[in-house]
Amino acid sequence: SNQMSLPPRPQLFDFHGVPMTRYFTDNWENVQNFQAKPDDILIATYPKAGNTWVSHMVDLLHFGTESSKNQTSPLIYHKIPLLELNFTPIQPESPNAPSVFKGTEMLEKITTSPRIIKTHLPLKFLPKSIWEQNCRIIYVARNIKDSVVSLFHFERMTFMHPEPGEWTSYLQRFLEGNIVFGSWYDHVNNYWEKKQTYSNIHYMFYEDMIEDTGREFDKLCSFLGLSPSAEEKKDILSCVMFENMKKNNKVNYSAVKGMDYKMSSFMRKGKVGDWINYFTVAQSKEYDEDYKKKMKNPTLTFRTEI
Ligand code: A3P
């Protein structure tokens, strides 16, 4: 059956103070020694903040929308590798797919520029050469309540993460930061604070993207130094609409062998405020109180509805 071809769930363990699994730490030396190029673009997010959405946008901006429509073009996670990934699928996805997904090797093979690099690493784990080369970093943040709902569904379906267990205990574990890639609070705050000393970070919010994709597109273009025509903009915005990405098998992860689509889908809902369908009133209050305690920087604010 399908179940039998799925790899076993990895264990969480403490890795330099951050809970991680071996799929994201097994290639550590190569990740730390990764040689960035000055025009590399890093798209950093806590899991489920909208990395795929922004990655697709940046890809289309640089390489054109034909790459999204063309059946022979590569899948997004082949083209935009996850830097820290080290994963060997039990079955190959297809004859041309990599037999081992090792982010650093996949990146070294890319001959086009700029390279677009995906990462979920907390700030302190980024390779040194990102800073030395003054690479552009796009950070996408999403409110904590929608993040935990999205991640819960994702962890149910992906065999690359530990089993999430049931919702109530998961909510607790998430608040404690006992989750792959660590605490949501640390992640969003550390990248926010880095902006003070490193100007090449463009910090975006998922909620802003939902509210006005065109406005956020324009800001992103100015950060990247690009000025697409009105026609190109319209074409890209159409390609990155949720419904279009959901049915585009280049970006919807439908070819991944380690995911169980009976549980959820990668392009699940694409909304702000879906948390309301999962949190009880008491759970919401607990999250609000925890948030007030832990969010010390008044300049970083999130919206849980728009
Ligand atoms: P939901 O689970 O809430 O639907 P990531 O790519 O970082 O893993 O984030 C995945 C989340 O972004 C999912 O959230 C997914 O549906 C949402 N998403 C992906 N593409 C989107 C789009 N074009 N518009 C809105 N949301 C999108």
Side-chain angles (χ1 to χ4, degrees):
S1 74
N2 183 37
Q3 287 302 106
M4 287 184 55
S5 63
L6 293 166
R9 295 267 186 168
Q11 298 292 310
L12 265 188
F13 60 90
D14 179 86
F15 187 74
H16 306 293
V18 179
M20 293 287 273
T21 73
R22 64 185 193 85
Y23 296 138
F24 308 117
T25 58
D26 272 358
N27 191 32
W28 202 245
E29 224 178 279
N30 291 325
V31 170
Q32 290 306 294
N33 294 328
F34 175 71
Q35 287 305 303
K37 297 178 184 176
D39 62 349
D40 284 346
I41 299 169
L42 188 73
I43 304 185
T45 56
Y46 192 74
K48 312 321 284 178
N51 198 310
T52 315
W53 191 6
V54 172
S55 290
H56 193 39
M57 203 181 255
V58 173
D59 182 33
L60 298 177
L61 265 165
H62 281 98
F63 301 106
T65 53
E66 276 315 304
S67 61
S68 176
K69 296 165 186 164
N70 186 342
Q71 274 310 302
T72 60
S73 72
L75 299 165
I76 191 163
Y77 54 89
H78 294 180
K79 218 171 162 183
I80 304 179
L82 182 66
L83 173 66
E84 58 272 21
L85 185 59
N86 188 103
F87 182 70
T88 308
I90 287 183
Q91 293 174 323
E93 291 181 303
S94 65
N96 302 327
S99 54
V100 181
F101 285 84
K102 210 183 261 283
T104 53
E105 279 180 10
M106 291 166 77
L107 284 160
E108 278 155 18
K109 284 187 191 137
I110 293 178
T111 52
T112 50
S113 63
R115 297 187 299 187
I116 305 168
I117 307 169
K118 173 181 178 177
T119 189
H120 293 312
L121 292 176
L123 186 90
K124 68 172 185 180
F125 286 164
L126 290 189
K128 268 205 297 298
S129 75
I130 297 284
W131 312 117
E132 289 163 359
Q133 299 297 326
N134 194 36
C135 296
R136 286 192 173 93
I137 300 177
I138 299 166
Y139 187 80
V140 192
R142 187 180 192 182
N143 80 72
I144 188 168
K145 290 177 176 173
D146 285 325
S147 292
V148 66
V149 168
S150 182
L151 187 57
F152 177 72
H153 286 92
F154 183 64
E155 295 203 326
R156 279 163 44 102
M157 76 182 285
T158 178
F159 281 72
M160 303 220 347
H161 283 219
E163 185 69 60
E166 57 91 33
W167 172 241
T168 305
S169 59
Y170 188 78
L171 271 180
Q172 207 55 48
R173 195 154 66 77
F174 189 93
L175 275 192
E176 289 158 9
N178 195 11
I179 293 284
V180 194
F181 300 108
S183 152
W184 175 92
Y185 290 107
D186 291 346
H187 213 282
V188 300
N189 277 299
N190 289 340
Y191 278 92
W192 181 259
E193 274 149 28
K194 187 72 181 177
K195 266 179 359 117
Q196 306 303 320
T197 52
Y198 185 81
S199 60
N200 238 356
I201 296 185
H202 181 61
Y203 200 105
M204 308 174 69
F205 294 91
Y206 181 90
E207 293 75 24
D208 293 348
M209 292 273 292
I210 291 283
E211 184 180 64
D212 191 338
T213 316
R215 177 191 66 206
E216 297 308 311
F217 174 88
D218 291 342
K219 288 196 230 163
L220 183 63
C221 290
S222 86
F223 174 69
L224 295 171
L226 301 172
S227 31
S229 69
E231 200 182 326
E232 283 165 331
K233 174 177 172 179
K234 196 172 149 229
D235 204 15
I236 293 173
L237 289 183
S238 161
C239 290
V240 302
M241 274 173 59
F242 181 76
E243 290 309 325
N244 289 337
M245 282 184 65
K246 191 177 172 74
K247 63 183 182 220
N248 180 350
N249 65 13
K250 300 296 172 189
V251 300
N252 67 13
Y253 282 74
S254 57
V256 177
K257 291 281 191 240
M259 290 186 189
D260 184 352
Y261 283 83
K262 290 194 296 294
M263 287 293 182
S264 189
S265 57
F266 192 90
M267 299 288 162
R268 193 185 57 92
K269 278 204 182 159
K271 294 225 151 56
V272 176
D274 185 44
W275 63 270
I276 207 113
N277 299 313
Y278 295 91
F279 279 69
T280 65
V281 172
Q283 287 167 345
S284 173
K285 197 164 162 253
E286 193 188 352
Y287 261 58
D288 292 342
E289 280 163 9
D290 191 74
Y291 183 91
K292 267 183 231 140
K293 255 188 275 158
K294 290 181 186 159
M295 294 295 282
K296 297 288 184 217
N297 190 335
T299 63
L300 177 58
T301 56
F302 284 90
R303 294 187 287 169
T304 53
E305 52 199 309
I306 53 170

